[in-house]
Amino acid sequence: MADVEELATETDKRLSVHEAICAQRYEVIQQRFDEGSKRMTKIEYLLYGVIVCVLFGPGVAGELVKKILGL
């Protein structure tokens, strides 16, 4: 009977360690998703800018860039 209790205690310990490790990994994964979301938002805005430049042509795009850069 003692062997069964020891086995159960050992299993509980291993499960607790496993859960703690998984929780840490999940936090890191969530942080990476958040960082990736910010990067994707920047890329999305850059793509909108490129689309506008393509639709209006190079002359209008050049003037827009000059105004933005203050040239």
Side-chain angles (χ1 to χ4, degrees), residues 16-34:
S16 295
V17 170
H18 175 76
E19 288 175 345
I21 291 171
C22 286
Q24 289 175 346
R25 288 179 181 168
Y26 179 76
E27 286 179 27
V28 171
I29 291 169
Q30 190 61 43
Q31 288 173 354
R32 289 185 180 178
F33 277 141
D34 293 340

Side-chain angles (χ1 to χ4, degrees), residues 41-57:
T41 300
K42 289 178 185 177
I43 292 170
E44 182 181 3
Y45 289 133
L46 286 172
L47 285 173
Y48 289 146
V50 169
I51 290 169
V52 167
C53 291
V54 168
L55 289 176
F56 288 124

